[in-house]
């Protein structure tokens, strides 16, 4: 295996920049590809070379295999990094890259193929004693049979798309009466989003927590895990807040889950970076959900607690190097939290809110990392994922990381569109999150748009006043206009009314 000289990054936005930065540190040249909507994008400016690959729609540009391969040939790149989303989990793309004599910075096409189908993945890992959620192991073809299975498993159940991703094609069915309707919706969504209407049934785990393991394998058969990430704070079955380590995973559970994750990787001869996702019930039983055969959006929290650069590891493994460490040489240092800053309106069902970044000021300082792909004055194009940035905080322990995150959110200034910053601040302040006693239903259980309007300065004052009342037995009237309350007023809330 030979050294990589030039990498084409088949992606855009923050992840394209993230990959190019590491390549530059390693002395590797970079090629950006871009659509007509991204002419002025930062990843285009950062790269050593850039090639236009088509019109704005991703189906005409970032998903066009021929155009991307042609760009690699034209610039004489010797490797392609797919990032996440787009073609990253497309085995035909990985195969094509290899057939063209280029290095695919990721797993083998075969591993992508197996893990790309949730049903094929379950079949593969079942042989390795990995616990699975009770459910069907074949696509549903007969509705009546499926209903029988559902009543045996017990409602609520979840109908899921085998080809699913990004939380799409998933329907909770509370009882038999709503089975037909939810089934039709799941099949429709799966067909339109993935071109494959195959769905299956899983028991719906109540009070579920999403815990995933970062794994890494080399091309010599070695596999390690880089510990877990907890991603239970979600909307639409998609992550918004992620952290490492998880607040409920004990060393014993970590060892058991880590072993299961490594077995999942071994079941498909996996190499390079991958994520094994598990769902955990309120009794701390864990079950395999799926494997994502790529670098994950939330990989920075793992980098922050391990001190490793996962993109650098990916490149070295693609070059054929052996993993530079063994499992017992790895350990967790401190605690990291990531929030995804989406151009979405939490007060309006988290609907995308596209527009211009009139003000865009990043937080700074100790333990803070911002991975983004925008500058003040830029538009968030509506053709792609509405994520503006990832804000990552690292500290010695969870409580300190939460405090740092609140400080960072308060420093972050974004005007021109609604974002998830205020929602994430609500999460950081919430007792359920702080105590570690939360699950994937956090939004449904606790969040209302009104919560964003409520001043927490007021809350603090009322709480303080109550405490004084209880202690002294005398009444204190909370005056919210007290000047000392003003400085802690948060930017994001003020901005709501500015913009
Ligand atoms: P992660 O598991 O890394 O948090 P997400 O589920 O949030 O990833 O997805 C990351 C990106 O990949 C998003 O832009 C999402 O829309 C996209 N994505 C994920 N799975 C698929 C898929 N099967 N097909 C198309 N896009 C996908
Ligand atoms: P995707 O490919 O869309 O990421 P996953 O299977 O990883 O699909 O599930 C996404 C999310 O949906 C999980 O993080 C969890 O919140 C929820 N979920 C999935 N399966 C179950 C289940 N059996 N019970 C409860 N929640 C589930
Ligand atoms: Mg998933």
């Amino acid at each position: 295996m030979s050294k990589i000289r030039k990498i084409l990054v088949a992606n855009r936005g923050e992840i394209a920049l993230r990959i190019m930065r590491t390549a530059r540190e390693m002395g590797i040249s970079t090629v950006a590809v871009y659509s007509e909507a991204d002419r002025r994008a930062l990843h285009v400016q950062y790269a050593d070379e850039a090639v236009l690959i088509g019109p704005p729609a991703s189906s005409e540009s970032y998903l066009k295999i021929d155009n991307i391969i042609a760009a690699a040939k034209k610039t004489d790149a010797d490797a392609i990094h797919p990032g996440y989303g787009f073609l990253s989990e497309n085995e035909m793309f990985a195969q094509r890259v290899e057939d063209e004599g280029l290095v695919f910075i990721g797993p083998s096409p075969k591993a992508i193929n197996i893990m790309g189908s949730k049903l094929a993945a379950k079949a593969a890992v079942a042989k390795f004693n990995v616990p699975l959620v009770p459910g069907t192991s074949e696509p549903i073809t007969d509705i009546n049979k499926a209903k029988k299975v559902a009543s045996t498993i017990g409602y609520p159940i979840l109908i899921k798309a085998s080809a699913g991703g990004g939380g799409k094609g998933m329907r909770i069915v509370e009882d038999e009466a709503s089975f037909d309707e939810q089934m039709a919706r799941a099949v429709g969504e799966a067909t339109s989003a993935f071109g494959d209407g195959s769905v299956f049934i899983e028991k719906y785990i109540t009070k579920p927590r999403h815990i995933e393991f970062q794994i890494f394998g080399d091309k010599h058969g070695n596999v390690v895990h880089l510990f877990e990430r907890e991603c239970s704070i979600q909307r639409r079955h998609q992550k918004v807040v992620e952290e490492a380590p998880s607040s409920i995973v004990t060393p014993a559970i970590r060892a058991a889950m880590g072993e299961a994750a490594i077995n999942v990787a071994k079941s498909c001869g996996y190499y390079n970076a991958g994520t094994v996702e598990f769902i955990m019930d309120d009794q701390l039983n864990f079950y395999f959900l799926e494997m994502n055969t790529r670098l994950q959006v939330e990989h920075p929290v793992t980098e922050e607690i391990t001190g490793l650069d996962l993109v650098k590891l990916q490149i070295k493994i693609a070059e054929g190097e052996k993993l530079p460490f063994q499992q017992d040489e790895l350990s967790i240092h401190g605690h990291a939290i990531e929030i995804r800053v989406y151009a979405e309106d939490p007060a309006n069902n988290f609907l995308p809110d596209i527009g211009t970044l009139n003000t865009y000021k990043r937080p700074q300082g100790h333990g803070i990392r911002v991975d983004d792909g925008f500058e003040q004055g830029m538009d968030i194009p509506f053709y792609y994922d509405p994520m503006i940035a990832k804000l990552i905080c690292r500290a010695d322990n969870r409580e300190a990381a939460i405090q740092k995150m609140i400080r960072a959110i308060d420093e972050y200034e974004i005007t021109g569109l609604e974002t998830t910053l205020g929602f994430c601040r609500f999460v950081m302040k919430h007792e359920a999150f702080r105590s570690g006693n939360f699950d994937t239903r956090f939004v449904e259980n606790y969040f209302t748009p009104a919560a964003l309007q409520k001043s927490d300065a007021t809350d603090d004052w009322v709480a303080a006043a109550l405490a004084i009342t209880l202690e002294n037995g005398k009444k204190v009237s909370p005056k919210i206009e007290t000047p000392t309350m003003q400085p802690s007023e948060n930017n994001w809330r003020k901005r709501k009314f500015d913009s």
Side-chain angles (χ1 to χ4, degrees), residues 76-117:
D76 195 27
D78 49 13
I80 295 188
H81 195 306
Y84 56 72
F86 295 131
L87 294 169
S88 61
E89 293 177 278
N90 182 320
E91 77 269 15
M92 282 177 339
F93 180 58
Q95 187 62 59
R96 177 74 187 280
V97 171
E98 290 188 355
D99 291 348
E100 297 284 348
L102 304 167
V103 177
F104 182 75
I105 304 174
S108 67
K110 180 181 148 256
I112 298 176
N113 178 269
I114 295 171
M115 293 299 159
S117 153

CSV table of all heavy atoms in Angstrom, one decimal, residues 76-117:
chain,number,residue,atom,x,y,z
A,76,ASP,N,-6.1,14.4,-10.9
A,76,ASP,CA,-5.1,13.3,-10.6
A,76,ASP,C,-5.1,13.0,-9.1
A,76,ASP,O,-4.0,12.8,-8.5
A,76,ASP,CB,-3.7,13.8,-11.1
A,76,ASP,CG,-2.7,12.7,-11.1
A,76,ASP,OD1,-3.1,11.5,-11.2
A,76,ASP,OD2,-1.5,12.9,-10.9
A,77,ALA,N,-6.3,13.0,-8.5
A,77,ALA,CA,-6.4,12.6,-7.1
A,77,ALA,C,-6.2,11.1,-7.0
A,77,ALA,O,-6.5,10.4,-7.9
A,77,ALA,CB,-7.8,13.0,-6.5
A,78,ASP,N,-5.6,10.7,-5.8
A,78,ASP,CA,-5.5,9.2,-5.7
A,78,ASP,C,-6.4,8.6,-4.7
A,78,ASP,O,-6.4,7.4,-4.5
A,78,ASP,CB,-4.0,8.8,-5.5
A,78,ASP,CG,-3.3,9.6,-4.4
A,78,ASP,OD1,-4.1,10.3,-3.6
A,78,ASP,OD2,-2.1,9.6,-4.3
A,79,ALA,N,-7.2,9.4,-4.0
A,79,ALA,CA,-8.1,8.8,-3.0
A,79,ALA,C,-9.3,9.7,-2.9
A,79,ALA,O,-9.3,10.9,-3.2
A,79,ALA,CB,-7.4,8.8,-1.6
A,80,ILE,N,-10.4,9.1,-2.5
A,80,ILE,CA,-11.7,9.9,-2.3
A,80,ILE,C,-12.2,9.6,-0.8
A,80,ILE,O,-12.3,8.5,-0.4
A,80,ILE,CB,-12.8,9.5,-3.3
A,80,ILE,CG1,-12.3,9.9,-4.7
A,80,ILE,CG2,-14.1,10.1,-3.0
A,80,ILE,CD1,-13.3,9.7,-5.8
A,81,HIS,N,-12.5,10.7,-0.1
A,81,HIS,CA,-13.1,10.6,1.2
A,81,HIS,C,-14.6,11.1,1.0
A,81,HIS,O,-14.9,12.2,0.5
A,81,HIS,CB,-12.5,11.5,2.2
A,81,HIS,CG,-12.9,11.2,3.6
A,81,HIS,ND1,-14.2,11.2,4.0
A,81,HIS,CD2,-12.1,10.9,4.7
A,81,HIS,CE1,-14.2,10.8,5.3
A,81,HIS,NE2,-13.0,10.7,5.7
A,82,PRO,N,-15.6,10.2,1.3
A,82,PRO,CA,-17.0,10.5,1.1
A,82,PRO,C,-17.7,11.4,2.2
A,82,PRO,O,-18.8,11.8,1.9
A,82,PRO,CB,-17.6,9.2,1.0
A,82,PRO,CG,-16.8,8.3,2.0
A,82,PRO,CD,-15.4,8.9,1.9
A,83,GLY,N,-17.0,11.6,3.3
A,83,GLY,CA,-17.7,12.3,4.4
A,83,GLY,C,-18.9,11.5,4.9
A,83,GLY,O,-18.8,10.3,5.0
A,84,TYR,N,-20.0,12.2,5.3
A,84,TYR,CA,-21.2,11.5,5.7
A,84,TYR,C,-22.3,12.0,4.8
A,84,TYR,O,-22.2,13.0,4.2
A,84,TYR,CB,-21.5,11.7,7.2
A,84,TYR,CG,-21.6,13.1,7.7
A,84,TYR,CD1,-22.8,13.9,7.3
A,84,TYR,CD2,-20.7,13.7,8.5
A,84,TYR,CE1,-22.9,15.2,7.7
A,84,TYR,CE2,-20.8,15.1,8.9
A,84,TYR,CZ,-21.9,15.8,8.5
A,84,TYR,OH,-22.0,17.1,8.9
A,85,GLY,N,-23.5,11.2,4.8
A,85,GLY,CA,-24.6,11.6,3.9
A,85,GLY,C,-24.1,11.3,2.5
A,85,GLY,O,-23.2,10.5,2.2
A,86,PHE,N,-24.8,11.9,1.5
A,86,PHE,CA,-24.5,11.8,0.1
A,86,PHE,C,-24.1,10.3,-0.3
A,86,PHE,O,-24.9,9.4,0.0
A,86,PHE,CB,-23.5,12.8,-0.3
A,86,PHE,CG,-23.9,14.2,-0.2
A,86,PHE,CD1,-23.1,15.2,0.5
A,86,PHE,CD2,-25.1,14.6,-0.7
A,86,PHE,CE1,-23.6,16.5,0.6
A,86,PHE,CE2,-25.6,16.0,-0.6
A,86,PHE,CZ,-24.8,16.9,0.1
A,87,LEU,N,-22.9,10.2,-0.9
A,87,LEU,CA,-22.6,8.8,-1.4
A,87,LEU,C,-21.8,8.0,-0.4
A,87,LEU,O,-21.3,6.9,-0.7
A,87,LEU,CB,-21.7,9.0,-2.6
A,87,LEU,CG,-22.4,9.6,-3.8
A,87,LEU,CD1,-21.4,10.0,-4.9
A,87,LEU,CD2,-23.5,8.6,-4.4
A,88,SER,N,-21.7,8.5,0.9
A,88,SER,CA,-20.8,7.8,1.9
A,88,SER,C,-21.2,6.3,2.1
A,88,SER,O,-20.4,5.5,2.5
A,88,SER,CB,-20.8,8.6,3.2
A,88,SER,OG,-22.1,8.7,3.7
A,89,GLU,N,-22.5,6.0,2.0
A,89,GLU,CA,-22.9,4.7,2.3
A,89,GLU,C,-23.5,4.0,1.1
A,89,GLU,O,-24.4,3.1,1.2
A,89,GLU,CB,-23.9,4.7,3.5
A,89,GLU,CG,-23.3,5.1,4.8
A,89,GLU,CD,-24.3,5.2,5.9
A,89,GLU,OE1,-24.9,6.2,6.1
A,89,GLU,OE2,-24.3,4.2,6.7
A,90,ASN,N,-22.9,4.3,-0.1
A,90,ASN,CA,-23.4,3.8,-1.3
A,90,ASN,C,-22.3,2.8,-1.8
A,90,ASN,O,-21.2,3.2,-2.2
A,90,ASN,CB,-23.6,4.9,-2.3
A,90,ASN,CG,-24.1,4.5,-3.7
A,90,ASN,OD1,-23.7,3.5,-4.2
A,90,ASN,ND2,-25.0,5.3,-4.2
A,91,GLU,N,-22.6,1.5,-1.8
A,91,GLU,CA,-21.5,0.5,-2.1
A,91,GLU,C,-21.1,0.6,-3.6
A,91,GLU,O,-20.0,0.3,-3.9
A,91,GLU,CB,-21.9,-0.9,-1.7
A,91,GLU,CG,-22.9,-1.6,-2.6
A,91,GLU,CD,-24.4,-1.4,-2.2
A,91,GLU,OE1,-24.6,-0.5,-1.4
A,91,GLU,OE2,-25.2,-2.2,-2.7
A,92,MET,N,-22.1,1.1,-4.4
A,92,MET,CA,-21.7,1.2,-5.9
A,92,MET,C,-20.7,2.2,-6.1
A,92,MET,O,-19.8,2.1,-6.9
A,92,MET,CB,-23.0,1.5,-6.7
A,92,MET,CG,-23.8,0.2,-6.9
A,92,MET,SD,-25.3,0.4,-7.8
A,92,MET,CE,-25.8,2.1,-7.7
A,93,PHE,N,-20.8,3.3,-5.3
A,93,PHE,CA,-19.8,4.4,-5.4
A,93,PHE,C,-18.4,3.8,-4.9
A,93,PHE,O,-17.4,4.0,-5.5
A,93,PHE,CB,-20.2,5.6,-4.5
A,93,PHE,CG,-19.2,6.7,-4.5
A,93,PHE,CD1,-18.9,7.3,-5.7
A,93,PHE,CD2,-18.7,7.2,-3.3
A,93,PHE,CE1,-18.0,8.4,-5.7
A,93,PHE,CE2,-17.8,8.3,-3.3
A,93,PHE,CZ,-17.4,8.8,-4.5
A,94,ALA,N,-18.4,3.2,-3.7
A,94,ALA,CA,-17.1,2.7,-3.2
A,94,ALA,C,-16.5,1.7,-4.2
A,94,ALA,O,-15.3,1.7,-4.4
A,94,ALA,CB,-17.4,2.0,-1.8
A,95,GLN,N,-17.3,0.9,-4.8
A,95,GLN,CA,-16.8,-0.1,-5.7
A,95,GLN,C,-16.2,0.6,-7.0
A,95,GLN,O,-15.2,0.2,-7.4
A,95,GLN,CB,-18.0,-1.1,-6.2
A,95,GLN,CG,-17.5,-2.2,-7.1
A,95,GLN,CD,-16.5,-3.1,-6.3
A,95,GLN,OE1,-16.9,-3.7,-5.3
A,95,GLN,NE2,-15.3,-3.3,-6.8
A,96,ARG,N,-17.0,1.6,-7.4
A,96,ARG,CA,-16.5,2.3,-8.6
A,96,ARG,C,-15.2,3.0,-8.4
A,96,ARG,O,-14.3,3.0,-9.2
A,96,ARG,CB,-17.6,3.4,-9.0
A,96,ARG,CG,-17.2,4.3,-10.1
A,96,ARG,CD,-17.3,3.5,-11.5
A,96,ARG,NE,-16.8,4.4,-12.5
A,96,ARG,CZ,-17.5,5.4,-13.1
A,96,ARG,NH1,-18.8,5.6,-12.8
A,96,ARG,NH2,-17.0,6.2,-14.0
A,97,VAL,N,-15.0,3.6,-7.2
A,97,VAL,CA,-13.8,4.3,-6.8
A,97,VAL,C,-12.6,3.3,-6.9
A,97,VAL,O,-11.6,3.5,-7.5
A,97,VAL,CB,-13.9,4.9,-5.4
A,97,VAL,CG1,-12.5,5.4,-4.9
A,97,VAL,CG2,-14.9,6.0,-5.3
A,98,GLU,N,-12.8,2.1,-6.3
A,98,GLU,CA,-11.8,1.1,-6.3
A,98,GLU,C,-11.5,0.6,-7.8
A,98,GLU,O,-10.4,0.4,-8.2
A,98,GLU,CB,-12.2,-0.1,-5.4
A,98,GLU,CG,-12.1,0.3,-4.0
A,98,GLU,CD,-12.3,-0.9,-3.0
A,98,GLU,OE1,-12.6,-2.0,-3.5
A,98,GLU,OE2,-12.2,-0.7,-1.8
A,99,ASP,N,-12.6,0.4,-8.6
A,99,ASP,CA,-12.4,-0.1,-9.9
A,99,ASP,C,-11.6,0.9,-10.8
A,99,ASP,O,-11.0,0.5,-11.7
A,99,ASP,CB,-13.8,-0.3,-10.6
A,99,ASP,CG,-14.5,-1.5,-10.0
A,99,ASP,OD1,-13.9,-2.3,-9.3
A,99,ASP,OD2,-15.8,-1.6,-10.3
A,100,GLU,N,-11.7,2.2,-10.4
A,100,GLU,CA,-11.0,3.2,-11.1
A,100,GLU,C,-9.5,3.3,-10.7
A,100,GLU,O,-8.8,4.2,-11.1
A,100,GLU,CB,-11.7,4.6,-11.0
A,100,GLU,CG,-13.1,4.7,-11.6
A,100,GLU,CD,-13.1,4.8,-13.1
A,100,GLU,OE1,-12.1,5.0,-13.7
A,100,GLU,OE2,-14.2,4.6,-13.6
A,101,GLY,N,-9.2,2.5,-9.7
A,101,GLY,CA,-7.8,2.5,-9.2
A,101,GLY,C,-7.5,3.5,-8.2
A,101,GLY,O,-6.4,3.9,-7.9
A,102,LEU,N,-8.6,4.1,-7.6
A,102,LEU,CA,-8.5,5.1,-6.5
A,102,LEU,C,-8.7,4.4,-5.2
A,102,LEU,O,-9.3,3.3,-5.1
A,102,LEU,CB,-9.5,6.2,-6.7
A,102,LEU,CG,-9.5,6.9,-8.1
A,102,LEU,CD1,-10.7,7.7,-8.3
A,102,LEU,CD2,-8.2,7.7,-8.2
A,103,VAL,N,-8.2,5.1,-4.1
A,103,VAL,CA,-8.4,4.5,-2.7
A,103,VAL,C,-9.7,5.1,-2.2
A,103,VAL,O,-9.9,6.4,-2.2
A,103,VAL,CB,-7.2,4.9,-1.8
A,103,VAL,CG1,-7.5,4.4,-0.4
A,103,VAL,CG2,-5.9,4.3,-2.4
A,104,PHE,N,-10.6,4.3,-1.7
A,104,PHE,CA,-11.8,4.7,-1.0
A,104,PHE,C,-11.5,4.8,0.5
A,104,PHE,O,-11.2,3.8,1.1
A,104,PHE,CB,-13.0,3.8,-1.3
A,104,PHE,CG,-14.3,4.2,-0.7
A,104,PHE,CD1,-15.0,5.2,-1.2
A,104,PHE,CD2,-14.8,3.6,0.5
A,104,PHE,CE1,-16.2,5.6,-0.7
A,104,PHE,CE2,-16.0,4.0,1.1
A,104,PHE,CZ,-16.7,5.0,0.5
A,105,ILE,N,-11.6,6.0,1.0
A,105,ILE,CA,-11.3,6.2,2.5
A,105,ILE,C,-12.6,5.8,3.3
A,105,ILE,O,-13.4,6.6,3.7
A,105,ILE,CB,-10.8,7.6,2.8
A,105,ILE,CG1,-9.6,7.8,1.9
A,105,ILE,CG2,-10.4,7.7,4.3
A,105,ILE,CD1,-9.0,9.2,2.0
A,106,GLY,N,-12.7,4.5,3.5
A,106,GLY,CA,-13.9,4.0,4.2
A,106,GLY,C,-13.8,2.5,4.1
A,106,GLY,O,-12.7,1.9,3.8
A,107,PRO,N,-14.9,1.8,4.5
A,107,PRO,CA,-14.9,0.3,4.5
A,107,PRO,C,-15.0,-0.3,3.1
A,107,PRO,O,-15.1,0.4,2.1
A,107,PRO,CB,-16.1,0.0,5.3
A,107,PRO,CG,-17.0,1.1,5.1
A,107,PRO,CD,-16.2,2.3,4.9
A,108,SER,N,-15.0,-1.6,3.0
A,108,SER,CA,-15.1,-2.3,1.7
A,108,SER,C,-16.6,-2.2,1.2
A,108,SER,O,-17.5,-2.0,2.0
A,108,SER,CB,-14.8,-3.8,1.9
A,108,SER,OG,-15.8,-4.4,2.7
A,109,PRO,N,-16.7,-2.2,-0.1
A,109,PRO,CA,-18.1,-2.2,-0.7
A,109,PRO,C,-19.0,-3.3,-0.1
A,109,PRO,O,-20.2,-3.1,0.1
A,109,PRO,CB,-17.9,-2.4,-2.2
A,109,PRO,CG,-16.5,-1.9,-2.4
A,109,PRO,CD,-15.7,-2.3,-1.2
A,110,LYS,N,-18.4,-4.4,0.2
A,110,LYS,CA,-19.2,-5.5,0.7
A,110,LYS,C,-19.7,-5.2,2.1
A,110,LYS,O,-20.9,-5.5,2.4
A,110,LYS,CB,-18.3,-6.8,0.8
A,110,LYS,CG,-19.0,-8.0,1.4
A,110,LYS,CD,-18.0,-9.2,1.4
A,110,LYS,CE,-18.4,-10.1,2.6
A,110,LYS,NZ,-17.5,-10.0,3.7
A,111,ALA,N,-18.9,-4.6,3.0
A,111,ALA,CA,-19.4,-4.3,4.3
A,111,ALA,C,-20.5,-3.2,4.2
A,111,ALA,O,-21.4,-3.2,5.0
A,111,ALA,CB,-18.2,-3.8,5.2
A,112,ILE,N,-20.3,-2.2,3.3
A,112,ILE,CA,-21.3,-1.2,3.1
A,112,ILE,C,-22.6,-1.8,2.7
A,112,ILE,O,-23.7,-1.5,3.2
A,112,ILE,CB,-20.9,-0.1,2.1
A,112,ILE,CG1,-19.6,0.6,2.5
A,112,ILE,CG2,-22.0,0.9,1.8
A,112,ILE,CD1,-19.0,1.6,1.5
A,113,ASN,N,-22.5,-2.8,1.8
A,113,ASN,CA,-23.7,-3.4,1.3
A,113,ASN,C,-24.5,-4.2,2.4
A,113,ASN,O,-25.7,-4.0,2.5
A,113,ASN,CB,-23.3,-4.4,0.2
A,113,ASN,CG,-24.4,-5.2,-0.3
A,113,ASN,OD1,-24.8,-6.3,0.1
A,113,ASN,ND2,-25.1,-4.6,-1.3
A,114,ILE,N,-23.8,-4.9,3.2
A,114,ILE,CA,-24.4,-5.7,4.3
A,114,ILE,C,-25.1,-4.8,5.3
A,114,ILE,O,-26.2,-4.9,5.6
A,114,ILE,CB,-23.4,-6.7,5.0
A,114,ILE,CG1,-22.9,-7.7,4.0
A,114,ILE,CG2,-24.1,-7.3,6.2
A,114,ILE,CD1,-21.8,-8.6,4.5
A,115,MET,N,-24.3,-3.8,5.7
A,115,MET,CA,-24.8,-2.9,6.8
A,115,MET,C,-25.8,-1.9,6.3
A,115,MET,O,-26.5,-1.2,7.1
A,115,MET,CB,-23.6,-2.3,7.5
A,115,MET,CG,-22.8,-3.3,8.3
A,115,MET,SD,-23.8,-4.1,9.6
A,115,MET,CE,-22.8,-5.6,9.9
A,116,GLY,N,-25.8,-1.7,5.0
A,116,GLY,CA,-26.8,-0.7,4.4
A,116,GLY,C,-28.2,-1.2,4.5
A,116,GLY,O,-29.1,-0.4,4.4
A,117,SER,N,-28.4,-2.5,4.7
A,117,SER,CA,-29.7,-3.0,4.8
A,117,SER,C,-29.8,-3.4,6.3
A,117,SER,O,-29.1,-4.2,6.8
A,117,SER,CB,-29.9,-4.2,3.9
A,117,SER,OG,-30.9,-5.1,4.5
